[in-house]
Amino acid sequence: TLVFIEVKTRSSTAYGAPLEAIGYYKLRTLVKAAQIYKASHPGLPSLMRIDAVGVVVNSEQQLLNIYLVKNIS
């Protein structure tokens, strides 16, 4: 399986969690980009998925939380 990963980082959750930034249009763009990449690179696995990683850090850039959501498409 070919996996594409979108990573979103926030230093505060005041404007929402990192993965809340991946809306309909962003996901549609990710899917199109993945399809184009796969089409232009023959020999890659036939199955693909898009995962998302959310990262939250504090003001000193120290890691507070990291999480993975598989197959967001």
Side-chain angles (χ1 to χ4, degrees):
T1 302
L2 179 62
V3 181
F4 296 87
I5 302 174
E6 176 73 4
V7 179
K8 291 293 184 185
T9 303
R10 296 285 181 267
S11 58
S12 166
T13 56
Y15 298 104
L19 297 186
E20 290 178 14
I22 304 174
Y24 171 79
Y25 294 105
K26 178 64 175 181
L27 185 56
R28 189 171 76 178
T29 301
L30 291 169
V31 169
K32 280 186 168 187
Q35 290 170 338
I36 290 168
Y37 183 85
K38 189 175 166 190
S40 65
H41 292 83
L44 292 176
S46 59
L47 296 176
M48 73 172 187
R49 73 172 195 254
I50 299 174
D51 294 353
V53 173
V55 180
V56 180
V57 297
N58 63 17
S59 58
E60 289 82 36
Q61 300 299 306
Q62 295 171 318
L63 181 64
L64 298 177
N65 197 2
I66 186 168
Y67 46 95
L68 167 70
V69 179
K70 293 184 178 183
N71 201 22
I72 63 169
S73 57

